[in-house]
Amino acid sequence: MSHDHDTNASEQGIQRPGHPRPAAAQDHEAAPAARILAFLALAELSSFERFSTDAQFAPNLEDKVALGGLAVAEYRLFEVLRQRLAALGFEAVALMEEMQGPLQAFTRQTRPGDWYESLMKSYVVDSIFRDVHREVITRLDEESRTVALAVVDHTAPAEYLHERLGEAVAEDELLAGRLALWGRRLVAESIRRGRETLLQADPEAPAAQIMSSVTEAHSKRMASLGLVA
Amino acid sequence: MSHDHDTNASEQGIQRPGHPRPAAAQDHEAAPAARILAFLALAELSSFERFSTDAQFAPNLEDKVALGGLAVAEYRLFEVLRQRLAALGFEAVALMEEMQGPLQAFTRQTRPGDWYESLMKSYVVDSIFRDVHREVITRLDEESRTVALAVVDHTAPAEYLHERLGEAVAEDELLAGRLALWGRRLVAESIRRGRETLLQADPEAPAAQIMSSVTEAHSKRMASLGLVA
C-alpha cells in the first residue's frame, strides 16, 4: 500500500464549486475528501462488526451464515475505501483512529438487547447513514465519488434485513411494538449522528433540509415493515 | 448453487484403498466425504466467528482491521467448502447443523477471558484442528482433497498470531505465565475434540499415533513462542 503523501492537490481536493476551500486548510489537517472517505470507511468497518457480532447470536446456522456473508461484504467495501485513501496518499487506519470517537459513542448509546433489536439497528442505522453519505459524497472528486457510490449503493444487507424483520413483525405483534419503540430511539440517535457527519464534511450544507428528507425516507422504510416510525 | 442429489457414487465416495465402505452406509447418511468437508466448513465458520468477535475487543484499530481481515479470509474458505459440497449434491448448512453439537460444546468449554487469551485460543485450537484435518482429508476423493488442502494450507492467521503473541509474551512475564497455563487447558480440550473428529471421519484411523504427533507439533509451536507447553 502506498504511503506516499506527494499526490497532487487536485487529486486530494474536493469539488465545491463556488466554495473554494483555502489551501491552508489542507496543510494542517487531512484533506476534506480524505475525511469523507474515512467517515465511510468507519461506517463500513462498524457494519462489519455489527453483522459479525449478530452472526454469533443468530437463532440458527442459516442466519449465522447469512449474517457472516453480509459482514464479509462490508469488510470488502471498507477495503475498497482504504485502497482509495491509499491512492490519495492517506493511511486509512490512522485517519479513522483520529475520527472514531463520535461513532464509538454512538455505538455505546445504541446497544441492542437481542437478535431482533440488533437486526433492527442495522436496518435503521445503516440506511440513515447511507442516505447521509449519499449527500456527503457529492462533494468528492470524481474518482473518489465513483468508489464511494459503489459503497452507498450496496443494498444487499437492507434487502435481507427488510425480509427477515418483515417476517418477524408480521408473526408477532408484541415484537412489532417493541421494535417500533426501539426504532424510534435509534432514529433519534442516528439523525443526530448523521447531522454531525454531514456538518463535519461540509459546514455549509443545508442540514435541516437534508435531515428532514432522510427522516422521511426512514418513515417510509418503517411503514414498509408495517411499523409506525 | 446446485442442490442436485444425482451426482454419481464415485464422486461422493471417499478413497480408502483396502477399506471399501459398504454402499448401504452411504444411503442412509451423508457420504463420508461430505461429512469430512462439513467438519472443515464448521471449523472455518467457527474461526470466522472467533476472529470477528476478537476484532471487537482489539486494543486498537490496527488490530481490529487485521483480525477483521483474518475473519473474512476464513469465511471465504467456508464458502469454498460449501461450493464443493454443493457440487457433490449436499447442502452444507443443513449438514453442518446436524454435526455442530460437539463443536458448540467445545466453544463453551474454552471461553477466553480477554484479548490475549482469545488470540492464544485461535493460535492453539486452529493449529491443532488444522493438523487433524490434514490427516482426515487424505481419505477424500481427489477433487475434494484439492479443495480441502487449500483450506488447511491457509496459514496467514497462524503467522499473524505467532507474531502478535510472541511480542506480548516477550514483554510481559506475568502474561506469559498466564498464557502458558491457558494453553495447557486449551490443548487438552482441543486434542480430545480433534480425536473425536478423526474417529468420526475414520473409525479405523490410528488415533493414538496421529494425536501424539499433533501434540508434539503443538509443543514445538509453544516453544517457538517462548512458552512451555
Side-chain angles (χ1 to χ4, degrees), chain B residues 116-117 120-121 123-124 165 169 172-188 218 221-223 225-229:
Chain B
Y116 284 114
E117 284 191 11
M120 188 73 174
K121 178 172 170 181
Y123 188 61
V124 170
L165 286 165
V169 157
D172 185 341
E173 213 173 309
L174 211 68
L175 179 68
R178 185 156 63 84
L179 290 183
L181 216 64
W182 171 238
R184 261 168 255 149
R185 188 170 142 208
L186 288 172
V187 74
H218 164 78
R221 279 189 298 270
M222 290 301 98
L225 278 183
L227 299 176
V228 181

Side-chain angles (χ1 to χ4, degrees), chain A residues 42 45 48-49 52-53 55-57 59-62 64-73 75-76 78-79 82 91-94 96-97 100 104, chain B residues 42 45 48-49 52-53 55-57 59-62 64-73 75-76 78-79 82 91-94 96-97 100 104:
Chain A
L42 273 170
L45 194 64
F48 161 75
E49 281 192 86
S52 57
T53 308
Q56 266 189 286
F57 300 108
N60 57 59
L61 206 55
E62 192 78 51
K64 185 181 293 240
V65 167
L67 267 289
L70 297 182
V72 166
Y75 192 90
R76 288 278 180 237
F78 155 72
E79 282 186 323
R82 176 162 66 168
E91 219 288 283
V93 173
M96 290 160 69
E97 199 130 41
Q100 68 178 338
Q104 284 178 323
Chain B
L42 272 170
L45 194 64
F48 161 74
E49 280 192 85
S52 55
T53 308
Q56 266 189 284
F57 301 108
N60 56 59
L61 206 55
E62 192 79 51
K64 186 181 293 242
V65 167
L67 267 290
L70 297 182
V72 166
Y75 192 89
R76 288 274 182 240
F78 155 72
E79 283 186 322
R82 176 162 67 167
E91 219 289 283
V93 173
M96 289 160 69
E97 198 128 44
Q100 69 178 338
Q104 284 178 323

Side-chain angles (χ1 to χ4, degrees), chain B residues 29-40:
Chain B
E29 62 177 30
R35 286 183 63 83
I36 291 174
L37 293 169
F39 268 127
L40 268 66

Side-chain angles (χ1 to χ4, degrees), chain B residues 9-10 12-16 21 26 31-34 36 139-141 201:
Chain B
S10 76
Q12 285 190 28
I14 55 169
Q15 291 180 343
R16 291 176 73 226
R21 193 174 282 269
Q26 294 182 26
I36 291 174
R139 279 122 189 119
L140 289 174
D141 62 278

Side-chain angles (χ1 to χ4, degrees), chain B residues 47 50-51 74 121-130:
Chain B
S47 297
R50 203 170 335 106
F51 285 132
E74 302 291 346
K121 178 172 170 181
S122 286
Y123 188 61
V124 170
V125 171
D126 287 355
S127 305
I128 289 178
F129 285 4
R130 191 171 53 239

Side-chain angles (χ1 to χ4, degrees), chain B residues 72-226:
Chain B
V72 166
E74 302 291 346
Y75 192 89
R76 288 274 182 240
L77 294 175
F78 155 72
E79 283 186 322
V80 165
L81 292 162
R82 176 162 67 167
Q83 276 156 23
R84 179 62 193 151
L85 278 162
L88 292 174
F90 290 92
E91 219 289 283
V93 173
L95 205 55
M96 289 160 69
E97 198 128 44
E98 282 171 35
M99 292 165 57
Q100 69 178 338
L103 187 61
Q104 284 178 323
F106 172 83
T107 302
R108 278 193 302 274
Q109 282 150 9
T110 54
R111 284 212 196 286
D114 67 8
W115 161 254
Y116 284 114
E117 284 191 11
S118 67
L119 293 191
M120 188 73 174
K121 178 172 170 181
S122 286
Y123 188 61
V124 170
V125 171
D126 287 355
S127 305
I128 289 178
F129 285 4
R130 191 171 53 239
D131 287 350
V132 171
H133 291 160
R134 209 181 285 279
E135 290 292 329
V136 159
I137 66 176
T138 58
R139 279 122 189 119
L140 289 174
D141 62 278
E142 196 177 335
E143 200 170 336
S144 298
R145 195 164 60 234
T146 305
V147 168
L149 252 180
V151 173
V152 299
D153 279 347
H154 175 67
T155 53
E159 285 154 27
Y160 166 83
L161 293 167
H162 184 270
E163 194 187 315
R164 203 66 187 70
L165 286 165
E167 283 166 12
V169 157
E171 279 171 16
D172 185 341
E173 213 173 309
L174 211 68
L175 179 68
R178 185 156 63 84
L179 290 183
L181 216 64
W182 171 238
R184 261 168 255 149
R185 188 170 142 208
L186 288 172
V187 74
E189 296 289 344
S190 309
I191 291 288
R192 185 181 326 184
R193 173 74 199 120
R195 187 191 186 91
E196 279 171 16
T197 305
L198 185 65
L199 290 173
Q200 277 173 314
D202 179 5
E204 289 155 51
Q209 183 190 324
I210 290 171
M211 295 319 293
S212 150
S213 81
V214 169
T215 307
E216 197 175 318
H218 164 78
S219 300
K220 279 188 192 145
R221 279 189 298 270
M222 290 301 98
S224 80
L225 278 183

